[in-house]
Structures are given as structure tokens and as C-alpha cells.
């Protein structure tokens, strides 16, 4: 596929000097595959410098992925923030940032209040028809004390799940639903 061709192109650029942003991105992909994250990050930053439009096209997401691998949680959030700011009408960017703010491994970096408007906008952009986006919105509502709304949103997300969804993924949705149901019963 396209990714394999990009990585192969990145391999060809080793030892050379990329001429434009796409070549930096390609070489970064190759270097990430080889777990040479420092070099990959330098290439991704060079790609952004050469063409800031590369950010919303996957560069910020790749940078966040490297930060996550390295367990650099603050840096991961920063990459998602940059992506969401660069693409305020891209539901994937808003959702990724909201999810990271809700689930960050470093608990003190979590910010449910900041996540809620991001999750709401992502849901609006998808016309409340994407189960993954609604799952994020439900968690955001739950973490902001809107338990009944979280429960209703999670139920809608589950109704939209495709029949062929992997059992492990479905289980994640079900576990969150049970958590919201238990909290709602306690109110």
C-alpha cells in the first residue's frame, strides 16, 4: 500500500537531504519503523517547518505516537493540542486530543473540563453518527459529572457499533457502559 511505498521512499532518503516536506515525512516513517525516534522527530519537525500544512495530515499524530511510546505524556498532549488547533474542523484531531485529555497515563495531566468542548464539537462534526466519537463524548460527560447524559450517549454509541467489531473493542464500550450504569443507579 501507500504506507509501504512511503517507508521505502524514506529508506532511500537515508544518508541524503530531503528536498521537501513530503520527503522528511517519508524518512520519518522509515525511522519510526526502525525505532529511531529521535531522528524521526527531527524529520517531522523539519517537515512542519517546510510546510505547516503537514501537521494536520498526520505529522502531529505521528509525533504524539512517538511521545506515547516514550511515555512522555506532557509531550503527547502537546502534539494533540497542536493538531487540534491546526485542524479545528477535523473531528479526528478534536477526538484524539479529547481522549488524551481524559485518559492520560499521568493523572495530574488529565483535564476533563477541557476535553468536553472538544468531544462535543467532534460529535457535531460527525452528526453524532460515529460510535468512537460518541464513546469519547460519553466519557467526557461522565468525567464532568453528567452521568445520565454519559449513559445515554454511550448507549447510542453502542447502537452504532458495526456488527463485525472485534470482541475486545466491543468489550471496552460495554465496560464503560456498565460503569456509567452503576454510577447512574447510585444517584
Amino acid at each position: 500500500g501507500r504506507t509501504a511505498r512511503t517507508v521505502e521512499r524514506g529508506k532511500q532518503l537515508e544518508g541524503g537531504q530531503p528536498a521537501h516536506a513530503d520527503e522528511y515525512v517519508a524518512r520519518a516513517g522509515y525511522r519510526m519503523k526502525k525505532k529511531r525516534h529521535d531522528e524521526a522527530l527531527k524529520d517531522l519537525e523539519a517537515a512542519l517547518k517546510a510546510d505547516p500544512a503537514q501537521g494536520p495530515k498526520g505529522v502531529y499524530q505521528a509525533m504524539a505516537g512517538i511521545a506515547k511510546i516514550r511515555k512522555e505524556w506532557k509531550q503527547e498532549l502537546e502534539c494533540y493540542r497542536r493538531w487540534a488547533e491546526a485542524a479545528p474542523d477535523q473531528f479526528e484531531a478534536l477526538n484524539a486530543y479529547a481522549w488524551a485529555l481524559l485518559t492520560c497515563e499521568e493523572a495530574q495531566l488529565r483535564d476533563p473540563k477541557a476535553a468536553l468542548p472538544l468531544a462535543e464539537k467532534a460529535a457535531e462534526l460527525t452528526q453524532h453518527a460515529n460510535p468512537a466519537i460518541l464513546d469519547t463524548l460519553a466519557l467526557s460527560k461522565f468525567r464532568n459529572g453528567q452521568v445520565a447524559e454519559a449513559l445515554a450517549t454511550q448507549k447510542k454509541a453502542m447502537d452504532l457499533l458495526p456488527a463485525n467489531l472485534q470482541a475486545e473493542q466491543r468489550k471496552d464500550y460495554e465496560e464503560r457502559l456498565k460503569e456509567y450504569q452503576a454510577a447512574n443507579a447510585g444517584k
Side-chain angles (χ1 to χ4, degrees), residues 16-38:
Q17 183 61 35
H20 50 78
D22 288 338
E23 290 185 350
Y24 279 110
V25 171
R27 189 169 72 179
Y30 173 73
R31 289 175 168 180
M32 286 186 320
K33 185 174 180 176
K34 294 296 183 182
K35 300 186 183 347
R36 293 168 37 207
H37 299 124
D38 287 338

Side-chain angles (χ1 to χ4, degrees), residues 104-118:
C104 184
E105 293 287 331
E106 200 168 313
Q108 64 265 31
L109 294 176
R110 292 182 196 154
D111 190 348
K113 190 176 267 193
L116 185 57
L118 297 165

Side-chain angles (χ1 to χ4, degrees), residues 23 26 32 34 63 70 76 93-94 107 112 140 142 153:
E23 290 185 350
M32 286 186 320
K34 294 296 183 182
M63 292 168 73
R70 297 170 140 191
E76 179 189 21
L94 300 171
S140 187
F142 183 73
T153 303

Side-chain angles (χ1 to χ4, degrees), residues 161 164-174 176:
L161 289 175
N164 64 347
L165 186 70
Q166 293 179 358
E168 188 61 36
Q169 287 179 294
R170 185 174 297 277
K171 184 180 171 195
D172 290 341
Y173 283 81
E174 290 168 352
R176 282 188 285 282

